[in-house]
Amino acid sequence: MIEAYNKHYIITDKQNRIVFGWSDGPHPDRDPALAICINERGGYQFRLRPGGEENPPLRTTDGIPLYRWDGEQAVARTEEEIAADRAAIPLPPPSPQEQLRADVDFLAAMQGVSL
Amino acid sequence: MSEKNLVGYYTSRYSGEEIDRMLAGFSNPNLLDNWYFVGGGSQQGGGQFPLNQRASVAYGSGNGEYFIDRWRINGSCELMPDGLLLKPATLICQFFEEQLKQYLDGKLVTASIWFEDGTYYFGSSVYHKASSANTTLCSLPGAFAALIGSDGNFYLRADYTSVDGIKPGAVKLELGSAPTLAHQDTSGNWVLNDLPNYQQELAKCQRYYWKSDMIYASATFYGNLYLICNVVFPVKMRTTPAVAIIAPDGTLYKVGIWANSVTVDLPATPNVLNADGFDSIYFGGGSIDTNNIYAFRVAASADV
């Protein structure tokens, strides 16, 4: 019979937050060199834990990791931890439109014009 | 036999040949997807079978990789105009979802195999979703066997003793004891009852795997880390798929710049992903230039 087992991997950052995960079933070419193998006898699709959701989201929509690795298993991060990460994200630089608007506002203010 | 015992006995007004003719076109649904192997493969672009989104014409694997849509392989094969050539000692398999296994458990099923030279084999047995041994449904010793594995999945094996392998043209698994893949025409040749519908088979296969053509996304970003692209899968997939973003030059997990074909050296992963699609691509390793249009392909797998 065809052996149905696949290896499941995660990548963590310096704070042990899980930033990526995959199964070598659909992704046989992905390099596992820097990854942690969390299941050597998993199914074809990636799961954080046996019987869990297939290919679960690992980040919020704005890119903040939802889980951390405690050395043995994936643990859901708390709302407070996620909020703290969100607060620490630097504001993106102003877009060209925002920059232009700021310039126009500045020139208008210099001339005493209200827009 | 007494006259009483004959009560309820029905004598058809039709002859056996007439009944055969009337039932000739009757066909049960096929429990297998992508079951018609004649045509050389869909990678030719003209609606040919079998569905082959991975697009190679020859496959070899020792660990059960997916090859043509929905099928896994141990061994090697080639897509030929008159069938799928399975080399000796090659095993192909279609994995079933749990709910289908549950439904079939304990029921009688029939497998049939048709070859384009007009030969036809079939056989029945009770399906078990898990058992200690494989269940052979039909076989031709020295050539092939069709079986339900101990894991409840469907297998077709070319025997290691078969000299040139086998080249099946179509295969069917159905409920009940009657094989309805083919019938004999007036000359005695076995001909298929039905040809598959290409769009229907494609949709069934794309529930498990989808490989896109080139997708272009212009520079709309959120914080320079995301490329908004709103990719919608053609069919709702079985589950949230594993997605690979592929640059135009074939580099995995990258996008390319449309204007100059340069591949952007940042890891590209889908964001806000579910069984319907994803809304953006996330570049975890840094920001990208907002002045470009980007190009990429998508390979999404929700295979079992």
Side-chain angles (χ1 to χ4, degrees), chain A residues 2-6 24-29 44, chain B residues 54 56 58-77 90-95 301 303-304:
Chain A
I2 285 178
E3 191 56 76
Y5 296 124
N6 290 98
D24 69 0
H27 296 304
D29 302 317
Y44 191 74
Chain B
R54 290 168 179 84
S56 290
Y59 292 94
S61 169
N63 56 4
E65 285 178 18
Y66 278 91
F67 66 118
I68 60 172
D69 284 61
R70 293 287 287 124
W71 292 90
R72 290 176 151 195
I73 186 167
N74 257 0
S76 57
C77 75
T90 292
L91 189 66
I92 65 171
C93 173
Q94 190 158 127
F95 272 40
S301 164
D303 288 303
V304 184

Side-chain angles (χ1 to χ4, degrees), chain A residues 92-104:
Chain A
S95 68
Q97 286 100 327
E98 288 169 330
Q99 230 157 1
L100 186 62
R101 177 68 206 211
D103 291 344
V104 169

Side-chain angles (χ1 to χ4, degrees), chain B residues 95-239:
Chain B
F95 272 40
F96 294 145
E97 290 179 56
E98 192 55 35
Q99 57 267 34
L100 179 59
K101 289 182 179 179
Q102 199 75 42
Y103 175 75
L104 293 177
D105 199 27
K107 294 187 170 75
L108 190 65
V109 293
T110 295
S112 41
I113 300 172
W114 174 83
F115 296 84
E116 216 191 33
D117 65 4
T119 52
Y120 184 48
Y121 303 87
F122 51 86
S124 305
S125 190
V126 174
Y127 174 94
H128 297 291
K129 74 184 195 106
S131 60
S132 56
N134 304 325
T135 305
T136 300
L137 297 172
C138 76
S139 66
L140 181 64
F144 72 87
L147 42 99
I148 299 296
S150 55
D151 55 9
N153 297 310
F154 180 82
Y155 288 83
L156 180 59
R157 184 189 68 213
D159 287 353
Y160 72 93
T161 49
S162 61
V163 179
D164 299 316
I166 59 166
K167 204 188 308 176
V171 60
K172 184 167 189 173
L173 181 69
E174 61 196 297
L175 279 167
S177 60
T180 63
L181 177 62
H183 68 275
Q184 274 183 305
D185 64 15
T186 48
S187 311
N189 297 314
W190 288 99
V191 293
L192 293 178
N193 285 339
D194 273 326
L195 282 180
N197 175 298
Y198 187 86
Q199 280 305 105
Q200 210 170 45
E201 288 299 315
L202 179 63
K204 284 197 285 182
C205 291
Q206 286 182 333
R207 185 166 171 268
Y208 297 90
Y209 183 84
W210 176 55
K211 182 103 178 258
S212 77
D213 280 332
M214 199 67 77
I215 294 170
Y216 302 94
S218 57
T220 307
F221 297 90
Y222 173 79
N224 289 11
L225 297 175
Y226 297 88
L227 173 58
I228 308 295
C229 49
N230 292 321
V231 172
V232 179
F233 303 139
V235 172
K236 190 180 187 79
M237 300 195 82
R238 180 187 65 83
T239 185

Side-chain angles (χ1 to χ4, degrees), chain B residues 77-90:
Chain B
C77 75
E78 284 178 41
L79 278 71
M80 311 287 277
D82 55 346
L84 184 64
L85 175 60
L86 305 180
K87 306 289 177 62
T90 292

